[in-house]
Amino acid sequence: MLARVTSAAVRGVDSYLVQVEVNLASGLPTFTVVGLPEGAVREGRERVGAALRNAGYPLPPRRITVNLAPADVRKEGSAFDLPIAVGLLAAAGHVEAEVLEGVAFVGELGLDGSVRPVRGVLPVVARCARAGARAVMVPAANALEAAVVEGIGVFGAGDLNAVLRHLRGDEVLSPVRVDAAALLEQGEQGGPDLRDVKGQQTAKRVLEIAAAGAHNILFMGPPGAGKTMLARRLPGIMPPLTLAEALEATRVHSVAGCLPPGCALLRRRPFRAPHHSVSDAGLIGGGVPLRPGEISLAHHGVLFLDELAEFRRNALESLRQPLEDGQVLVSRVRGTERFPARFLLVGAMNPCPCGYCGDGSDRCLCDPAQVTRYRGRISGPLLDRVDLQVEVGAVSFDALSEESRGEASATVQARVAHARVLQQERFGGEPGVFANGQMGPGLLRRVVRPSRRVAAPLRDAVDRGRLSARAFHRVLKVARTLADLAGEGKVREEHVLEAVQYRLPEGDVA
């Protein structure tokens, strides 16, 4: 007897439908899975067999053939356990075939028949909904995540017997519902606050500019100056996630298996801080199967690279294309996938190997050649893509002992949100552009038209070779953001002067 069950599998951050065909035939008892199954799928035969026996439905003594269609695409992961088990039950006559029409199944089985969570449920359920499925059965632990998808009924099952009782109508499971928009409006409480940072007024100003215009930052300063503390407070002053952004970020974390237990939707912008020993694949994505890396996990959030000069040169250079395009194309022998990677980069590094060069003390023992080699670990093309480059000095005793606290993150976030509203109104008809940092050269020429007097500091910097063409455009983008924060319709000379000082070392500003 033949039974067909609908399922889906993850590919990159998307999903594709898989038809699980189960056939019982006469002959010696065997259990074969075809359709290019990988290790975890092949091992699923043992999990499914044990789960069915412990649920009271031992495998029939027949020749069992399971086909995963399309048969020319490699199948990976353990999410096919549940659809294979349901297909076996249907083929053996324990479930009516009509009940399975329009219903998709995904989940891993334990040997005791429990249904265990799997990664990538959100894109899987979204694909099933687009295909017209009326319902989907998922592990109970993944039900909230799956229920974010609209237009499909979501049922969470804890064990195989619960699935069978639901399909027979003996004990129907209640559908799981989540109002994603209402959930997002609640926000996520807590998180580090900008008011905890003592001193560092220039660095705080740079954080506000970066959040308002989606500009990348490099902090350079001695150990203990507060670079990490500042970076961790950037997500809290960025505009709240929109529903579309939250769904995209949640999709990536779902595929990577990084969603916290019981989390239906990411409500706070991601903050990723990989160790400097991270590999190229760990940073941009890779592995078998291809999984998103840290830059994709930071999608619509912040990627913080502390001790920037200690990262592998290849890993840092791999950031150049994603910083420009907002996505990364990972090509390997077994496939090519495109991962989203629109993030704010915050780098932090010491000015020299010991960290104390230029701090006004005599602690630095590095000679000029060592300092040059150390700073040279960050290539010019990568630095060219960082809009805001700021020296963070040591905090004075008076600032540390000051009782008064600075502005709260919520206050700064309100100004940032207002500036973003101005930008969204300006770029309403431009696809993929929501902030000044995403402007291309053509759009920039239409939006920012400084007069000759206003552009004079830039002209001098370009003529002296201190600004490349890319850096020239990025300074104009920062100047436009400064004007938005000030509520100005035009870019003025003071905006350009301030933008230039965040690009050039002190003393090189015109």
Side-chain angles (χ1 to χ4, degrees):
M1 185 175 179
L2 177 66
R4 292 185 176 88
V5 178
T6 300
S7 186
V10 174
R11 182 165 55 197
V13 293
D14 293 315
S15 180
Y16 63 97
L17 291 180
V18 175
Q19 287 294 324
V20 179
E21 301 173 330
V22 180
N23 186 64
L24 301 182
S26 58
L28 292 175
T30 58
F31 193 160
T32 306
V33 180
V34 297
L36 292 182
E38 291 296 304
V41 182
R42 292 195 301 269
E43 292 173 352
R45 296 175 300 181
E46 305 301 326
R47 292 192 296 272
V48 169
L52 287 172
R53 283 192 296 272
N54 289 319
Y57 300 93
L59 290 175
R62 308 286 294 276
R63 182 178 179 180
I64 301 172
T65 303
V66 176
N67 179 45
L68 306 176
D72 60 342
V73 179
R74 293 185 182 277
K75 316 300 187 309
E76 294 159 316
S78 57
F80 295 112
D81 291 0
L82 181 59
I84 290 174
V86 171
L88 281 168
L89 290 170
H94 298 294
V95 177
E96 296 294 332
E98 293 78 11
V99 177
L100 303 181
E101 294 180 2
V103 182
F105 297 83
V106 60
E108 177 186 325
L109 290 178
L111 300 184
D112 59 351
S114 59
V115 183
R116 294 174 175 170
V118 293
R119 65 176 69 194
V121 165
L122 180 57
V124 162
V125 174
R127 181 67 184 87
C128 293
R130 292 196 303 271
R134 57 181 174 85
V136 59
M137 184 74 69
V138 301
N142 293 127
L144 289 176
E145 170 192 349
V148 170
V149 180
E150 297 180 349
I152 187 171
V154 174
F155 298 90
D159 57 64
L160 192 55
N161 274 320
V163 175
L164 186 57
R165 290 194 297 270
H166 174 81
L167 295 175
R168 286 176 167 176
D170 299 335
E171 188 176 336
V172 178
L173 297 170
S174 300
V176 180
R177 294 184 175 88
V178 171
D179 188 339
L183 188 64
L184 193 61
E185 287 179 1
Q186 297 174 7
E188 189 168 324
Q189 302 300 321
D193 199 294
L194 195 61
R195 66 170 57 184
D196 299 329
V197 181
K198 299 288 187 178
Q200 305 297 8
Q201 298 305 317
T202 300
K204 292 178 183 178
R205 170 69 167 168
V206 165
L207 284 182
E208 183 176 345
I209 298 167
H215 303 291
N216 303 314
I217 311 173
L218 173 62
F219 288 134
M220 182 182 293
K227 302 184 293 294
T228 301
M229 192 175 187
L230 286 161
R232 291 189 178 278
R233 280 147 182 79
L234 180 55
I237 66 173
M238 295 173 68
L241 285 168
T242 65
L243 182 57
E245 290 174 339
L247 288 172
E248 287 181 14
T250 305
R251 176 190 294 263
V252 176
H253 282 69
S254 173
V255 169
C258 296
L259 274 183
C263 176
L265 189 71
L266 292 180
R267 293 178 288 171
R268 186 179 179 87
R269 292 191 180 273
F271 180 88
R272 303 294 299 185
H275 190 261
H276 60 74
S277 62
V278 66
S279 65
D280 300 7
L283 192 62
I284 68 170
V288 180
L290 289 175
R291 299 289 188 201
E294 290 290 339
I295 64 173
S296 295
L297 291 171
H299 186 52
H300 292 311
V302 175
L303 176 68
F304 177 49
L305 302 184
D306 198 9
E307 304 297 343
L308 187 66
E310 303 298 335
F311 281 77
R312 293 184 176 93
R313 183 67 175 259
N314 287 345
L316 290 180
E317 294 305 305
S318 67
L319 295 176
R320 287 158 57 174
Q321 180 254 336
L323 285 173
E324 293 287 336
D325 300 339
Q327 60 183 2
V328 58
L329 186 66
V330 181
S331 297
R332 298 292 185 268
V333 173
R334 296 182 60 177
T336 299
E337 296 297 340
R338 193 179 302 273
F339 298 115
R342 192 170 293 282
F343 58 92
L344 279 188
L345 173 65
V346 180
M349 63 181 291
N350 297 326
C352 66
C354 75
Y356 298 106
C357 177
D359 71 342
S361 69
D362 57 357
R363 289 181 291 180
C364 181
L365 302 176
C366 305
D367 59 50
Q370 287 178 304
V371 175
T372 300
R373 282 197 302 270
Y374 183 78
R375 297 189 182 187
R377 295 179 184 177
I378 313 301
S379 70
L382 180 59
L383 281 176
D384 222 24
R385 291 165 168 81
V386 180
D387 303 350
L388 305 165
Q389 303 169 22
V390 186
E391 292 188 6
V392 181
V395 184
S396 67
F397 173 80
D398 291 339
L400 288 173
S401 58
E402 190 177 22
E403 292 296 331
S404 62
R405 307 180 74 183
E407 285 186 304
S409 291
T411 304
V412 180
Q413 187 187 52
R415 292 198 300 267
V416 168
H418 178 68
R420 282 289 184 97
V421 169
L422 297 177
Q423 294 167 53
Q424 290 168 1
E425 292 174 353
R426 183 184 304 130
F427 306 133
E430 297 292 334
V433 180
F434 59 87
N436 292 328
Q438 276 82 50
M439 284 191 290
L443 180 59
L444 182 64
R445 283 192 294 271
R446 297 199 304 270
V447 170
V448 184
R449 295 180 178 179
S451 65
R452 292 179 63 86
R453 181 178 62 83
V454 170
L458 288 178
R459 183 187 308 111
D460 185 59
V462 172
D463 289 343
R464 284 189 291 159
R466 302 299 296 166
L467 285 180
S468 67
R470 179 187 289 113
F472 169 78
H473 289 147
R474 289 185 176 273
V475 169
L476 288 179
K477 294 177 186 179
V478 173
R480 180 63 262 177
T481 299
L482 289 167
D484 289 336
L485 285 170
E488 300 281 354
K490 293 183 178 181
V491 174
R492 301 187 182 277
E493 185 177 8
E494 59 267 26
H495 303 142
V496 174
L497 284 170
E498 185 177 356
V500 170
Q501 78 174 1
Y502 296 137
R503 286 290 308 197
L504 302 177
E506 189 174 351
D508 285 345
V509 182

